[in-house]
Every structure is written in structure tokens, then in C-alpha cells.
């Protein structure tokens, strides 16, 4: 059963993910596409809130995007964007946060940044790509290999984000302000 | 941030949230199903008409749409380069999504958050047998919307600090104060909801409301100030 | 109904090993009660105990005869709470929706909610912001909105936790006037010595104990002297 605190934490992290989308994208010189920080929010929500509350946070975010709020990076929103080529990645956000949280609860309960990094890569990158790439392939009508190739460009940026998320999560855990992730 | 409710006395504003969301969904499916830019053209023109009918500031709304359309152009452009799709198709795709974003913006600008949240509550009531509590979900959605401007501001501050210090410095170190602030904020917010009479067990199904679950959780509480 | 009163009996509280309140026994019945004290004196903890947001480690707190431990929900209906930072208290995106929040949580009929919300907004000159996002209000207006959201629930007591600390001078005056005009029993935790001069009773907390308990004309100078 969700406590008032659980509701508040999930809502706050959903708002954080939206806030990360509104900040100017981090331009990375060696990539043609600006890296947006929203998948950083996926990893942070999972790593800090755990599977249930983290997944819920991203579910709230996706619902509000579907309702038409312009919360995706660049001010996009609406059911149309979700049904579009990048929609699979957005729909996979809650799953990514859930997986990150689940793995963190099992394998990275402490403040070890390497373990947290592995967890963020598994949940925030692998799980999200696993949903997003097949969707991209089907909706954009491109063969799966091409969709995979197209995503390679995003991997360095996503790895950087996983590193940032892991370092930040580790530091927050060391600070001891974390609400215990009890059921 | 534009994109939230803008009050006007108009027939579009008076339409029910269900009608508008249903219409948006139908229009979306239609635009995506129709070939090329036909649907986009239709949706774009009706969107502009509805915008006028709703007495919304046309120029401001269109200016707000510039960023998402640029972003879409970039995304589809890269995709066209990588996958080798034709430029005509790419242009049509950008037009479709631009039109859909216009319609979505129209719905958010003319529908109160409370009405939208009520709609979600009604729609998600069908999931009650699966253990979903629609009232709780509705409250969380409203809370999220309330905190977006606050957190967007905090994130902007963090980014500015990053720029001031040079991005090559530890980004994580800058996110930590932000996260600590959010977690502390959660303490206060929980107390505020409790103080304003919110009771998480209220909307539980009958017979599942243990009385001692009401009230503060002293174990987790931090000393105030 | 008897006069509104909040009673503490042998109340102590600790966070882990750190004691913040030590064996307090008090009966608060005066219409305007101020609680002064430095940072860490325990005054915010005390304030949060008055409506059951924090339960004492030992002793009991009763509000009009209701125990905060046993009757938490009933106590919170009787005691409104206004936080220092209105940003944590405003939970709905627009002004109107936020004022209605507590009423909705009580499952009040829609037209009754609308009537009460209108009255509360009129009272604090917020009616023109009715449909606006709450985050666009000024600091003072936000605090008035927070107060409106509490008063719309018609509590018998209102506890304020440093309501003017984050405000500029003009906003501070507005909020002080709003507190002055309240028909309710008000308990105000504050650093604002000017505000408390026309109160009925002033308590000074130091290290978890009440060290001064008197009328403001006596208590405030004594407090200032203690600060050295």
C-alpha cells in the first residue's frame, strides 16, 4: 500500500524528469543530436526510489505526456508523439525505472558507484532500448539492424548519463537523506 | 511555461475534458492512418480554427511550437540520413507530428488540470480490480503538475551553475544538492498533505483501512528545520 | 462547546539520541499564543505536535479533549497548519483547485466546495487569480493562498510555523494582518518580535524547555535580555 510519502516522492521525481526535459539540452560536440537529460531521470528515479516508486514516477510522467502536456525534451507532448517513432523509448521509461529499481534493491543497496552504474546501464539503457528499438523499427518501417545502427549514436551519451546518475545516487546515499525503500 | 491551462470564455473551453481527449485520440489515429501529409494539413487547419475559436493568442502558441518542430526536424533528419528514407516522406512525417502537437497543445491550454485529472480518475476506475487506486493516481498527477515549474527552476539553476563552473567539472556533484533538496521537500510535502487532511487510507476499498496506518510516520521523519 | 484548548502533558521528544523537547506541560487557551526561540530550540517540533504531525516520544497532546495519538484524523480536522514555505503547502496547480483540495479530501459536494472556495478567495483578495497557476503568485500571495487553503476547512485552531520568515516587508505586513483578523485560536511559532506584541501570551523555548511564559510586554524584553 502506498503511503502519502510514496505518493509525494513519485510525483516529485515525475516532475524532476519533466524539469530535466525543460533545461537546455547538453550539446555534445561529437554527436549530431543534443543529449537530453530525461533518461538520466529514469535512472535516478529507479536507483533512489526503488522499483515501485521509481516505476510509478515515470508512469505519471508518461500519462501526463499522453494527456498532451509538452513535457518531452524540446517541448513535445501528446498521444501523437507517443505513437510516433520515438514513442517506444518513452513508453519504456517506466519499465526502465522499474528495472533499475529492482536491480538496485538486489545488487546495489549501498553507495558503491560501480554497482550503481551497472544497474543504471541495465535499467536505464538496456531496458529502455529493448522497448524503443523494435518500436522504432516497426513505426518508422526500417529494418531492425538499421534501427539498432541508428541508436549506436546515442550510446556514448547514455553511458555518460548512467555515470552521472550512478555518481549522484551514490553521493545521495552517502548523505543519508534517502527514504528507506521499504515495501 | 506555456502549455498549461489559459482561462478564456469560449466554447472550446466549455467542452468536457473527455470530449477533447477523445477527439485528440481520434484525430491522432486518423492523421497517422492517412497517407502523406493529407491528415496533417486537415488537422493543422482545424487546429488553427479551434485556436481562434478558443480566443487563444495565436502568435504566442505558434512561437511555442517552434522548438518542438525544430527538434522533430532534427530527429527525422538524422533518421532520414541513417535509414535512407526520402526527403518527401521525412517532411510529411514532421508535418504530421507538428499538427498533432498543435492539437495536443490546444487541449492542454483549454482544459483545467482538475478536469483532466478527474477524467483520468474516471478512466482508471476500470483498473480498480487490478488494485489500481484511481483517486491516488489522480492526486499524484496533480502534484506532479504543481511541482514541474518548481523543479524546472531548480534544474535550470543547476545547469547555470554547471556552465559557470565549466561542464567538464563534476556534473554529479551539482546534481546531488538538487536531489537532496527534492528528498527534503518530500518530507515537508508529506507533512503538508497530512496537515491538510489528506488520508491515504480514505479511498481504500472497504475493510482494508487499518486505523493505525493513519497519521505520521515518525520513524522516517527528519527533525524540522 | 467549551473554549478551544490544546493541552500538553509531560511531553518529551527525541530524534534518535537528540532530545528536542523535555517534559513540557502546557495548556494553551489564549486566543493568540506566540512561541519564540532560537534555531534548534524545539519550537518547530512543538508546533508539529499540536496537530499530530509529530507524535511525542513520551507524554500526551490533546486538542479539545482529543488525543493526537488516538484521534489523529479528528485532530487534524480541528487544527489547521500553515508552513513556513508556502511552496510545500500548495498541492494543486491553480489557485482555485488548491484552495478546494482539503474540501475535496473530505468528500464535500461540488457546489458547497465552490461556495467556500469563493468566500476564501474573496477574503484574501485572491479572487482575481482564481484560474492562475499558483507558482506565478508573489511570496506573500502564496502565503495567503496557503492560509486560505487551511481556513476554508474551518478549523478551530490554526498553527503557524514561522509564517513571515521568507517574506519581504510588505508581504509580511499583509500576513500579520491576516493572522490578527483570524476568528480562530492561533498559535504562531516565529522570530518576528513585532508581530507578537499584541498577542495574549508568549512562550520562549530554549533547549526543549519553556524558559519564559508571560504576556508579551514582559516576555519579549526578557527574551531579548536572555539573548544578550
Amino acid at each position: 500500500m502506498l503511503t502519502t510519502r510514496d505518493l509525494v516522492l513519485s510525483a516529485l521525481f515525475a516532475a524532476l524528469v519533466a524539469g530535466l526535459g525543460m533545461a537546455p539540452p547538453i550539446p555534445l560536440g561529437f554527436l549530431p543530436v543534443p543529449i537530453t537529460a530525461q533518461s538520466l531521470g529514469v535512472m535516478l528515479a529507479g536507483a533512489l526510489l526503488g522499483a515501485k516508486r521509481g516505476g510509478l514516477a515515470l508512469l505519471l510522467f508518461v500519462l501526463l505526456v499522453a494527456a498532451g502536456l509538452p513535457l518531452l525534451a524540446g517541448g513535445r507532448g501528446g498521444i501523437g508523439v507517443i505513437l510516433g517513432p520515438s514513442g517506444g523509448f518513452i513508453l519504456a521509461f517506466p519499465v526502465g525505472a522499474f528495472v533499475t529499481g529492482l536491480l538496485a534493491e538486489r545488487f546495489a543497496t549501498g553507495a558503491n558507484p560501480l554497482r550503481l552504474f551497472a544497474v543504471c546501464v541495465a535499467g536505464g539503457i538496456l531496458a529502455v532500448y529493448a522497448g524503443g528499438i523494435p518500436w522504432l523499427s516497426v513505426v518508422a518501417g526500417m529494418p531492425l539492424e538499421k534501427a539498432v545502427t541508428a541508436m549506436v549514436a546515442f550510446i556514448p551519451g547514455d553511458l555518460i548519463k548512467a555515470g552521472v546518475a550512478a555518481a549522484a545516487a551514490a553521493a545521495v546515499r552517502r548523505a543519508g537523506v534517502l527514504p528507506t525503500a521499504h515495501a | 511555461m506555456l502549455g498549461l491551462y489559459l482561462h478564456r470564455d469560449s466554447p472550446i473551453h466549455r467542452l468536457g475534458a473527455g470530449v477533447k481527449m477523445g477527439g485528440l485520440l481520434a484525430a491522432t489515429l486518423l492523421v497517422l492512418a492517412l497517407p502523406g501529409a493529407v491528415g496533417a494539413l486537415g488537422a493543422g487547419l482545424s487546429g488553427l480554427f479551434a485556436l481562434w475559436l478558443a480566443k487563444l493568442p495565436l502568435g504566442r502558441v505558434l512561437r511555442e511550437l517552434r522548438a518542438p518542430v525544430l527538434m522533430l526536424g532534427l530527429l527525422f533528419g538524422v533518421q532520414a540520413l541513417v535509414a535512407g528514407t526520402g526527403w518527401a516522406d521525412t517532411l510529411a512525417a514532421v508535418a504530421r507530428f507538428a499538427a498533432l502537437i498543435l492539437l495536443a497543445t490546444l487541449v492542454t491550454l483549454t482544459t483545467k488540470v482538475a478536469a483532466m485529472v478527474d477524467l483520468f480518475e474516471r478512466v482508471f476506475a476500470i483498473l480498480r480490480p487490478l488494485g489500481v487506486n484511481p483517486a491516488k493516481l489522480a492526486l499524484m498527477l496533480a502534484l506532479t503538475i504543481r511541482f514541474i515549474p518548481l523543479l524546472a527552476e531548480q534544474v535550470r539553476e543547476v545547469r547555470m551553475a554547471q556552465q559557470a563552473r565549466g561542464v567538464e567539472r563534476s556534473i554529479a556533484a551539482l546534481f546531488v544538492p538538487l536531489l537532496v533538496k527534492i528528498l527534503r521537500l518530500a518530507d515537508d510535502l508529506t507533512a503538508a498533505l497530512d496537515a491538510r487532511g489528506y488520508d491515504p487510507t480514505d479511498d481504500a476499498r472497504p475493510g482494508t483501512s487499518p486505523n493505525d496506518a493513519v497519521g505520521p510516520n515518525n520513524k522516517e521523519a527528519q527533525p524540522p528545520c | 462547546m467549551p473554549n478551544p484548548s490544546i493541552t500538553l502533558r509531560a511531553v518529551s521528544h527525541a530524534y534518535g539520541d537528540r532530545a528536542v523537547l523535555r517534559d513540557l506541560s502546557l495548556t494553551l487557551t489564549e486566543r493568540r499564543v506566540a512561541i519564540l526561540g532560537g534555531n534548534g530550540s524545539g519550537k518547530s517540533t512543538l508546533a508539529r505536535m499540536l496537530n499530530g504531525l509529530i507524535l511525542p516520544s513520551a507524554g500526551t497532546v490533546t486538542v479539545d479533549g482529543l488525543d493526537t495519538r488516538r484521534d489523529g484524523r479528528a485532530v487534524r480536522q480541528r487544527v489547521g497548519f500553515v508552513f513556513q514555505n508556502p511552496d510545500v503547502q500548495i498541492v494543486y496547480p491553480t489557485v482555485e483547485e488548491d484552495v478546494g483540495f482539503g474540501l475535496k479530501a473530505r468528500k464535500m459536494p461540488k457546489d458547497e466546495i465552490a461556495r467556500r472556495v469563493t468566500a476564501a478567495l474573496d477574503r484574501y483578495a485572491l479572487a482575481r487569480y482564481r484560474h492562475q497557476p499558483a507558482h506565478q503568485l508573489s511570496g506573500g500571495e502564496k502565503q495567503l493562498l496557503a492560509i486560505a487553503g487551511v481556513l476554508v476547512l474551518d478549523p478551530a485552531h490554526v498553527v503557524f510555523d514561522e509564517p513571515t520568515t521568507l517574506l519581504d516587508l510588505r508581504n509580511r505586513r499583509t500576513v500579520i494582518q491576516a493572522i490578527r483578523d483570524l476568528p480562530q485560536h492561533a498559535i504562531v511559532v516565529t522570530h518576528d518580535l513585532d508581530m507578537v506584541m499584541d498577542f495574549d501570551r508568549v512562550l520562549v523555548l530554549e533547549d526543549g524547555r519553556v524558559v519564559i511564559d508571560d504576556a508579551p510586554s514582559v516576555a519579549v524584553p526578557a527574551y531579548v535580555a536572555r539573548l544578550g
Side-chain angles (χ1 to χ4, degrees), chain B residues 111-195:
Chain B
T111 314
K112 274 191 202 165
V113 170
M116 194 88 86
V117 166
D118 280 347
L119 176 69
F120 273 116
E121 197 171 339
R122 271 179 283 140
V123 170
F124 281 97
I126 53 169
L127 296 182
R128 209 181 253 287
L130 298 177
V132 174
N133 181 333
K136 242 173 215 180
L137 194 70
L139 174 67
M140 281 192 284
L141 288 169
L143 277 176
T144 306
I145 296 171
R146 156 77 185 99
F147 279 95
I148 287 170
L150 199 72
L151 289 193
E153 188 53 45
Q154 312 260 351
V155 172
R156 254 193 302 275
E157 273 174 30
V158 167
R159 279 289 164 76
M160 261 192 277
Q162 265 173 27
Q163 279 160 3
R165 298 170 122 196
V167 186
E168 73 283 358
R169 287 194 179 253
S170 163
I171 299 174
L174 288 162
F175 268 100
V176 175
L178 174 68
L179 290 166
V180 170
K181 213 184 259 182
I182 291 174
L183 293 170
R184 290 247 185 260
L185 201 59
D187 282 337
D188 289 343
L189 259 168
T190 306
L193 279 175
D194 282 339

Side-chain angles (χ1 to χ4, degrees), chain C residues 4 10 21 27 47 50 57 59-60 62 70 88 101-102 106 117 119 133 180-181 187-189 208 211 216 221 225:
Chain C
L21 293 177
T27 303
L50 302 180
S57 313
T60 57
T62 53
R70 275 204 324 270
V88 312
F101 167 76
R106 281 190 199 171
V117 168
R180 225 168 245 157
D181 295 341
I187 295 151
V188 185
V189 168
V211 291

Side-chain angles (χ1 to χ4, degrees), chain C residues 4 6 29 32 34 40 77 81 101 106 137 147 163 175 184 225-226:
Chain C
I6 300 183
T29 52
R32 296 284 175 268
Q77 294 207 0
F81 197 101
F101 167 76
R106 281 190 199 171
L137 300 182
I147 296 174
V175 169
Q184 277 93 348
R226 254 185 115 84

Side-chain angles (χ1 to χ4, degrees), chain B residues 20-43:
Chain B
K20 279 182 273 193
M21 281 301 287
L24 179 60
L25 189 63
T28 301
L29 294 176
L30 201 64
V31 167
L32 293 179
L34 286 173
V38 183
L41 203 65

Side-chain angles (χ1 to χ4, degrees), chain B residues 38-64:
Chain B
V38 183
L41 203 65
L45 288 178
S46 25
L48 289 178
F49 178 66
L51 212 60
W52 171 78
L53 213 59
K55 304 177 191 165
L56 292 170
L58 193 70
R60 223 173 109 202
V61 174
L62 292 181
R63 255 199 312 282
E64 289 286 327

